[in-house]
Amino acid sequence: MQKILRTLIIIAMLITSYLLVLAWRDDYTNKPVSVKQPVATQGVNDVPNATGGDVPVVGGATPVMASDVSGGLIDVLTDRYEIKINPVGGDIVYAGLKQYDATLDSSERFALLESEQGRTYVAQSGLAGQDGIDTNAGRAIYQSPRSSYDMAGTAVLTVPLIHEKDGITITKTYTFKAGEYPINVAYNINNTSDKVWQGNMYAQLKRDGSSDPGLDNKGMMGMPTYLGGAWGVPNEPYNKLKFKNFNDAKLNVVSNDGWVGVVQHYFVSAWTPGNFDGQFYSRESGGEHFIGFNSPAIVVPAGKQMTIDATLYAGPKVQDEMAGVATGLEKTVDYGIFWPISKPMFLILEALHKILGNWGWAIVGLTLIVKIALFWLSNKSYVSMAKMRAIAPKLEALKEKHGDDRMAMSQAMMQLYRDERVNPMAGCLPILLQMPIFLGLYWCLVESVELRHAPWILWIKDLSAMDPWFILPIIMMATMYVQQLLNPQPTDPMQAKMMKIMPLIFGVFMLFFPAGLVLYWTVNNLFSMAHQQFVNKRVEKAYNKPVKVLSD
């Protein structure tokens, strides 16, 4: 029975390690493709089509020649964003998130969208189709009343971009709201000509194959999370589409309550259509990936005008903020198959953080809550293991008595367990129960942007990254070793050696995992040691209690 017990513990740890490695390999690594060098006039030929360029083909597009001079970028400053808009196409070519630093202790803000320094990741939108102003021959050039806009304490900031040609005035308006990441992008087509105007709105994200900048400071092994396309509709709220599959598994879905975007570590950018059925699409061309949607045909009679809009979310994967944008967008916080554990754990962590003001202490509090929740089962296990320690001399005596007679030894040992009311399998419970919790917390730490660059104490400045000095993993190894000394030791010499090196194996593996995860495991070990030591002393006292002899 002891062999089975030890084997199950080892298997549980190895399965945990194997699942984490599989997650890295199968779902969360993307080999970067070659990156095209940025061009100063990026956005000039951004009309999507099936053969090249950026503008999607819709209807019978007629090429419209446009100047390739972008002029200066339009600067927009809000309480959440630092935005740069290219007048050519009116695309957002830079989006810096003011509430998030680029790297730990950096004075620079995190750039989600950008088109420089060897990286292209921009949010594009326009009007294509029969009379569209964006084609492969060139993008529309917009004029704006000002070259810079500042929210400066106002609740709403609008940035109008105007394009006029042949009696058609098109006003592309960005609307930013204080305290919000969603950006409304509206097109007003005012037809003062004597002809019917017809076109289609498109909105897409254009990204090269560069690596995820959110992993720059994650240590030598990092923690690669999913980088690629994604989309959702009400009946299928979250679906991944890897960059390498943009052409092979082309997206072809229609929805007026869905979203399409690009997901990376902690952040997401996504378009969602307004009150129309968007035709979702994806494609890859020249090492650049496009994912977006087209609107149905927009028909504006002579002397009339029409407005069509969409929403762009470009920000952190904060579930409460994404939930109201589109159905399923909040599911980009992807806990995988462990979401039934990770989701409640995050809610508990969030509640504890509001009270304690520190995510590290929140993890300590979560560990205590888990220990209390599992107290009854853990206590039974520790009592059983304590009894195993107490009857160890009797087991040794049986071993000497029966020698190499394994059958007799097994029968005598089982009888001893029954007499002493010991269940050797009960020792598996603490570790087996901790495994799914351990994995759930792993995904909670990896996916929750709230813990990005979250400090604890002293040298731990980022609970989502590995311990830079490996102090916590070393402490964890020590606690695992001490905890083993409190357990009954295996009678089999080979198993005894295996159990002794398990803390070292597991500790080395944990060197490169988030400090928050190592903190949880270390604190869990400390609580378990205290509980087990208390139980051991109580059981030993009961076994060593002198028996009173009744006199005549």
Side-chain angles (χ1 to χ4, degrees), residues 2-15:
Q2 279 186 302
K3 284 187 177 182
I4 296 175
L5 169 64
R6 304 297 174 178
T7 302
L8 284 175
I9 292 174
I10 293 171
I11 289 174
M13 289 185 172
L14 292 178
I15 287 176

Side-chain angles (χ1 to χ4, degrees), residues 424-491:
M425 298 296 292
C428 297
L429 286 176
I431 289 182
L432 293 179
L433 289 173
Q434 285 294 336
M435 289 301 105
I437 296 171
F438 177 79
L439 290 166
L441 182 60
Y442 170 81
W443 293 118
C444 186
L445 290 171
V446 169
E447 285 292 320
S448 301
V449 68
E450 290 84 353
L451 279 89
R452 178 182 184 264
H453 297 171
W456 180 39
I457 57 172
L458 301 175
W459 74 99
I460 302 295
K461 296 184 178 181
D462 185 359
L463 288 162
S464 68
M466 53 186 269
D467 183 338
W469 300 104
F470 304 124
I471 296 174
L472 268 180
I474 292 172
I475 295 174
M476 191 209 72
M477 281 189 273
T479 58
M480 285 188 70
Y481 180 77
V482 173
Q483 191 174 13
Q484 280 194 5
L485 297 180
L486 298 175
N487 295 334
Q489 300 305 302
T491 56

Side-chain angles (χ1 to χ4, degrees), residues 30 40 76 145 167 201 214 218 228 242 252 254 278-279 284 289 309 398 437 445 459 465 491 505 539:
N30 284 291
V76 181
M201 177 185 176
K218 292 302 178 185
K242 294 182 179 181
N252 185 17
V254 176
Q279 177 75 49
E284 186 271 336
H289 310 90
D309 70 334
L398 289 176
I437 296 171
L445 290 171
W459 74 99
T491 56
I505 295 173
V539 171

Side-chain angles (χ1 to χ4, degrees), residues 161-444:
L161 308 173
I162 302 169
H163 175 85
E164 296 179 300
K165 186 174 182 179
D166 300 331
I168 306 295
T169 301
I170 293 174
T171 304
K172 179 178 184 178
T173 304
Y174 285 95
T175 301
F176 302 86
K177 293 184 179 180
E180 296 184 10
Y181 283 104
I183 304 167
N184 182 262
V185 184
Y187 285 87
N188 177 264
I189 303 106
N190 186 7
N191 185 0
T192 59
S193 72
D194 57 358
K195 297 179 180 179
V196 173
W197 185 94
Q198 180 173 318
N200 303 75
M201 177 185 176
Y202 70 90
Q204 65 184 13
L205 295 158
K206 173 185 176 181
R207 196 190 193 284
D208 58 25
S210 56
S211 59
D212 189 338
L215 297 174
D216 287 347
N217 67 326
K218 292 302 178 185
M220 60 181 285
M221 286 187 64
M223 289 182 304
T225 54
Y226 180 69
L227 170 63
W231 59 275
V233 292
N235 59 331
E236 296 180 84
Y238 181 53
N239 306 273
K240 295 175 184 176
L241 183 61
K242 294 182 179 181
F243 286 149
K244 65 181 181 181
N245 297 329
F246 267 31
N247 278 342
D248 298 336
K250 287 185 178 180
L251 179 58
N252 185 17
V253 178
V254 176
S255 175
N256 65 353
D257 185 24
W259 60 274
V260 61
V262 173
V263 178
Q264 67 183 57
H265 195 207
Y266 292 137
F267 302 97
V268 61
S269 56
W271 283 103
T272 180
N275 295 320
F276 60 86
D277 289 330
Q279 177 75 49
F280 294 179
Y281 63 82
S282 69
R283 62 188 181 85
E284 186 271 336
S285 177
E288 292 179 329
H289 310 90
F290 301 85
I291 188 166
F293 64 79
N294 294 315
S295 77
I298 308 164
V299 179
V300 184
K304 301 292 184 179
Q305 59 180 310
M306 182 178 292
T307 300
I308 188 170
D309 70 334
T311 299
L312 170 67
Y313 183 95
K317 291 193 284 187
V318 176
Q319 298 177 62
D320 291 342
E321 301 214 24
M322 294 188 293
V325 177
T327 301
L329 184 58
E330 73 280 3
K331 294 185 181 295
T332 54
V333 181
D334 185 8
Y335 298 132
I337 61 173
F338 292 98
W339 70 265
I341 299 172
S342 298
K343 179 72 173 180
M345 289 183 80
F346 175 74
L347 294 176
I348 295 171
L349 277 175
E350 192 174 38
L352 290 171
H353 177 259
K354 290 178 181 178
I355 299 171
L356 302 173
N358 181 282
W359 287 104
W361 293 119
I363 291 173
V364 174
L366 173 68
T367 311
L368 180 59
I369 290 173
V370 171
K371 292 300 294 183
I372 292 173
L374 300 178
F375 179 84
W376 182 76
L377 289 173
S378 297
N379 193 67
K380 288 189 67 174
S381 172
Y382 296 149
V383 168
S384 183
M385 286 192 289
K387 287 182 177 180
M388 289 283 293
R389 280 172 56 94
I391 65 174
K394 295 182 180 180
L395 287 172
E396 285 296 324
L398 289 176
K399 188 176 181 181
E400 292 179 6
K401 177 180 178 181
H402 296 288
D404 295 331
D405 189 345
R406 293 181 177 271
M407 180 66 71
M409 174 63 186
S410 178
Q411 291 176 349
M413 187 168 57
M414 292 302 296
Q415 184 60 48
L416 177 63
Y417 289 156
R418 284 192 291 268
D419 293 342
E420 299 291 343
R421 296 183 180 179
V422 172
N423 180 7
M425 298 296 292
C428 297
L429 286 176
I431 289 182
L432 293 179
L433 289 173
Q434 285 294 336
M435 289 301 105
I437 296 171
F438 177 79
L439 290 166
L441 182 60
Y442 170 81
W443 293 118
C444 186

